[in-house]
């Protein structure tokens, strides 16, 4: 996923939302068990399906069972995949735009790993109509009370005990809720065409449970097929290979195992253009030509990625340009990356987002974090690879090296703001490996796993001898863990074994990097030649006696302008007069590049320029990309004179936002306290 925004953690909101957990989840025994990486059970096991040894903590298990807690394998899931694991799902769904629901059936294939009498799945606001075996034998089931933000535990009682090695097929007929957290149902007025409604999903991190009953944990990977019925005018797309579309029904198959968060669905009146031999771009007709031009080099990016990482395993790589309310820059759904229309800059300057999503085809989709406490294994690796691949597209070796380091410095700027200004240097969410007991993974999203994770990998690369040495390790790592899920301890063990003859790795302070809050303990010696001009100009801007002129920035790339604006955000606000002069002379106030517009509006808010307030509201109302919307709302909240207007604007537009956007913005605006 392309980063969505940052979080200012509110302990009051956290305690309010999670009061069911606080007293018991903070017991020392829980912390010890989770940190050890072992699984808990009330009867002897030889080995679980991850291949880890199992320790026995009967006391802990009884405490968890008594309070109906989430799984010891994943603090965000109720499921118990160490006992029975999903292997395949067959979906038959009907899209009902009038009722704003999906209704249908899910046939789930399970592999039984231990003798059991029941199955446990994750659900959220699903209406279960019936559950039965493949032969039609009805099964009893129970849906527990909802745990706020996490959904409910679905317990299915088997008609007879299942034993190790058995295969089971369970058929569940159900209907989603109109408020399903993974789905956004758009009215025609919210689309470009203004004539037809639109539906799209966002399942990461733990919203798949609002679309289907499942083991909603990235530790579990399954294949799937689907048949989706929608009105005749509509195109149906999924995170799978698209089959026949006939009689309002479209078929799909995903032969590569995926975690539940990569299940994706979009239904709209769409067109497509061919980008290359394995890529199409889809969008409403109003954006299709711009989209085809903006993403025309997709095949070049795929080939560069394969050169570094190995064969692309997903066969098809399509792009879907969604309506503006999509909350992320991009989402790496297999075979069909979702992207925001804010990438349509007209100059291909935001191609790094596409490269980022392509790299997820290896890191995240093929090799996956075991749960979202280890999210850096998805995003840190992806940012690291994104910058390597983007640099490899530059013919001049020295220029490529400088460009890679420059983009790393841009990331370091954002990381610095996140850690020091937004989260705070002592916040546990600034660790690479975080503790998500009773914390929703949406609350933990920030630049930290992206940029701190990427920086850690760059540190390791430099330490072991540079790209010439580290690239071979990367390919070995990806090959060894493909189609698997892992945690940080497994990554560390594999790295140390691969470089077992390299004594320098003994100098790595693993605790400081992985489990300590704040900024990284070491900052690599990046080449700063591309930032020198920006640093020099910053001194000029801060000297009010010097007249600003367009020639100051005439040779700057869009990313150097971004670097300049971010540096201005990080310092004390400019006077309104100086800022207006900068915007006019440097042609920043007329830019169409959303990365520039976003930072420009933040500067105007910080300088308390009331004349730009409506522009800021228009910007956050036009699109829902949280990377932009959340910092702007936080800046507006900090401006006491306009705080109530900002809250009023949010409340007016909240009904048109996707769940994750409204949920996180409510926290930013302190509306849940």
């Amino acid at each position: 996923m392309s980063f969505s925004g940052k979080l200012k953690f509110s302990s009051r909101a956290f305690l309010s939302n999670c009061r069911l957990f606080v007293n018991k989840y903070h017991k020392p025994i829980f912390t010890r068990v989770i940190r050890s990486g072992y699984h808990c059970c009330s009867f002897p096991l030889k080995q679980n399906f991850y291949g880890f040894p199992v320790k026995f903590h009967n006391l802990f298990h009884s405490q968890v069972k008594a309070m109906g807690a989430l799984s010891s394998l994943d603090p965000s899931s109720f499921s118990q995949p160490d006992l029975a694991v999903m292997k395949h799902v067959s979906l038959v769904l009907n899209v009902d735009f009038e009722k704003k629901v999906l209704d249908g059936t899910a046939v789930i294939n399970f592999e039984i790993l231990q003798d059991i009498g029941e199955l446990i799945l994750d659900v959220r606001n699903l209406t279960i109509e019936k559950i039965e075996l493949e032969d039609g034998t009805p099964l009893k089931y129970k849906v527990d009370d909802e745990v706020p933000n996490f959904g409910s535990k679905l317990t299915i009682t088997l008609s007879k005990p299942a034993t190790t090695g058995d295969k089971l097929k369970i058929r569940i007929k159900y209907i989603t809720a109109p408020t399903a957290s993974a789905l956004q149902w758009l009215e025609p007025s919210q689309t470009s065409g203004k004539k037809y409604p639109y539906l799209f999903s966002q399942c990461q991190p733990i919203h798949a449970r609002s679309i289907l009953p499942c083991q909603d944990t990235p530790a579990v990977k399954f294949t799937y097929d689907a048949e989706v019925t929608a009105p005749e005018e509509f195109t149906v797309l999924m995170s799978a290979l698209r089959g026949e579309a006939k009689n309002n029904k479209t078929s799909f198959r995903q032969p590569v195992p995926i975690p539940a968060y990569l299940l994706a669905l979009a239904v709209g009146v769409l067109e497509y253009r061919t980008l290359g031999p394995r890529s199409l771009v889809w969008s409403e007709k109003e954006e299709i030509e711009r989209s085809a031009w903006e993403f025309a080099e997709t095949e070049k990016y795929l080939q560069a990625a394969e050169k570094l990482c190995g064969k692309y395993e997903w066969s098809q790589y399509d792009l879907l340009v969604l309506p503006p309310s999509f909350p992320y820059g991009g989402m790496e759904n297999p075979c069909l990356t979702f992207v925001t229309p804010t990438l349509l800059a007209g100059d291909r300057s935001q191609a790094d987002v596409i490269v980022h999503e392509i790299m997820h085809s290896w890191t995240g989709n093929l090799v996956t974090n075991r749960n979202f406490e280890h999210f850096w294994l998805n995003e840190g690796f992806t940012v690291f690879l994104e910058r390597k691949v983007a640099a490899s597209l530059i013919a001049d070796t020295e220029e490529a090296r400088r460009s890679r380091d420059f983009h790393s410095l841009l990331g370091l700027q954002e990381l610095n703001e996140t850690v020091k200004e937004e989260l705070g240097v002592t916040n546990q969410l600034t660790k690479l490996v975080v503790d998500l007991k009773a914390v929703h993974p949406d609350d933990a999203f920030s630049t930290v796993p992206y940029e701190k994770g990427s920086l850690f990998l760059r540190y390791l690369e430099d330490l072991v001898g540079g790209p010439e040495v580290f690239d071979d390790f990367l390919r070995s790592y990806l090959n060894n863990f493909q189609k698997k899920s892992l945690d940080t301890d497994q990554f560390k063990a594999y790295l140390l074994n691969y470089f077992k003859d390299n004594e320098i790795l003994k100098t790595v302070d693993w605790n400081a990097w992985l489990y300590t809050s704040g900024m990284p303990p070491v900052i690599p010696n990046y080449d700063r030649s591309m930032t020198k001009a920006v640093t020099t100009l910053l001194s000029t801007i801060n000297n009010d006696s010097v007249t600003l002129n367009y020639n100051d920035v005439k040779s700057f790339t869009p990313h150097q302008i971004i670097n300049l604006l971010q540096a201005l955000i990080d310092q004390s606000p400019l006077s309104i007069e100086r800022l207006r002069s900068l915007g006019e002379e440097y042609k920043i106030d007329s830019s169409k590049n959303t990365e520039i517009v976003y930072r420009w509006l933040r500067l105007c808010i910080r300088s308390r320029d009331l004349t730009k307030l409506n522009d800021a509201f228009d910007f956050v109302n036009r699109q829902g990309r949280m990377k932009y919307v959340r910092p702007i709302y936080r800046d507006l909240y900090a401006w006491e004179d306009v705080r109530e207007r900002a809250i009023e604007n949010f409340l007016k537009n909240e009904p048109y936002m996707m769940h994750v956007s409204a949920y996180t913005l409510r926290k930013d605006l302190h509306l849940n306290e």
Side-chain angles (χ1 to χ4, degrees), residues 144-379:
D144 284 0
D145 291 340
E146 181 179 0
V147 176
N149 300 320
F150 291 91
S152 305
K153 178 169 69 173
L154 169 63
T155 303
I156 304 170
T157 302
L158 302 178
S159 54
K160 62 179 181 179
T163 59
T164 304
D166 284 352
K167 311 289 184 184
L168 279 183
K169 283 189 179 182
I170 304 292
R171 181 183 294 108
I172 305 176
K173 183 171 176 53
Y174 68 97
I175 303 175
T176 64
T179 56
S181 62
L183 300 176
Q184 182 162 25
W185 300 86
L186 300 179
E187 298 295 334
S189 61
Q190 295 175 269
T191 69
S192 294
K194 309 297 183 186
K195 187 176 179 181
Y196 297 99
Y198 199 117
L199 166 67
F200 66 86
S201 67
Q202 174 58 37
C203 287
Q204 192 180 34
I206 60 168
H207 299 288
R209 63 193 67 180
S210 71
I211 293 181
L212 80 161
C214 61
Q215 293 175 323
D216 197 3
T217 170
V220 173
K221 292 186 172 182
F222 55 89
T223 55
Y224 80 89
D225 61 77
E227 181 183 84
V228 182
T229 301
E232 185 175 0
E233 304 92 334
F234 290 80
T235 297
V236 181
L237 301 174
M238 294 191 78
S239 54
L241 300 174
R242 193 166 185 257
E244 186 179 41
K246 185 178 180 181
N247 298 327
N248 297 356
K249 295 180 179 180
T250 308
S251 63
F252 301 89
R253 63 182 182 89
Q254 180 49 269
V256 181
I258 63 166
Y261 77 80
L262 290 178
L263 185 74
L265 171 69
V267 185
V269 177
L270 305 172
E271 294 188 5
Y272 73 86
R273 297 290 184 270
T274 299
L275 298 176
R278 47 186 163 175
S279 297
L280 307 174
V281 61
W282 299 81
S283 77
E284 293 183 78
K285 67 179 180 180
E286 288 78 10
E287 280 77 46
I288 193 63
E289 299 303 337
R290 288 195 300 150
S291 300
W293 185 88
E294 199 77 37
F295 306 129
E297 298 184 316
T298 297
E299 177 62 23
K300 182 172 74 172
Y301 304 153
L302 281 165
Q303 291 179 14
E306 286 183 305
K307 187 175 180 181
L308 176 63
C309 299
K311 180 185 175 184
Y312 178 76
E313 297 286 349
W314 305 90
S315 300
Q316 190 75 9
Y317 184 83
D318 288 358
L319 294 160
L320 171 62
V321 181
L322 286 165
S325 58
F326 181 57
Y328 299 104
M331 180 60 210
E332 63 272 16
N333 301 311
C335 306
L336 184 71
T337 285
F338 287 5
V339 296
T340 169
T342 64
L343 300 187
L344 304 178
D347 58 7
R348 295 178 181 156
S349 62
Q350 296 195 51
D352 55 328
V353 175
I354 302 304
V355 178
H356 180 94
E357 304 308 334
I358 286 174
M359 302 322 301
H360 267 306
S361 303
W362 287 268
T363 50
N365 296 9
L366 271 185
V367 180
T368 309
N369 50 223
R370 184 168 66 86
N371 62 46
F372 288 101
E373 295 185 320
H374 304 275
F375 189 49
W376 82 274
L377 291 173
N378 277 21
E379 296 298 351

Side-chain angles (χ1 to χ4, degrees), residues 569 573-574 576 579 597-620 628-643 646:
I569 288 172
L574 296 174
I576 291 178
L579 188 63
V597 173
Y598 148 69
R599 289 174 173 83
W600 169 243
L601 288 173
R602 290 193 68 192
L603 286 172
C604 292
I605 293 168
R606 289 180 170 223
S607 292
R608 305 298 190 247
D609 187 349
L610 278 169
T611 66
K612 294 295 184 179
L613 189 58
N614 286 335
D615 290 346
F617 287 150
D618 287 343
F619 183 78
V620 297
Y628 304 148
V629 173
R630 294 189 65 192
I632 286 176
Y633 265 115
R634 284 194 293 262
D635 288 344
L636 289 169
Y637 186 88
W639 186 358
E640 290 191 19
D641 291 346
V642 304
R643 179 179 298 169

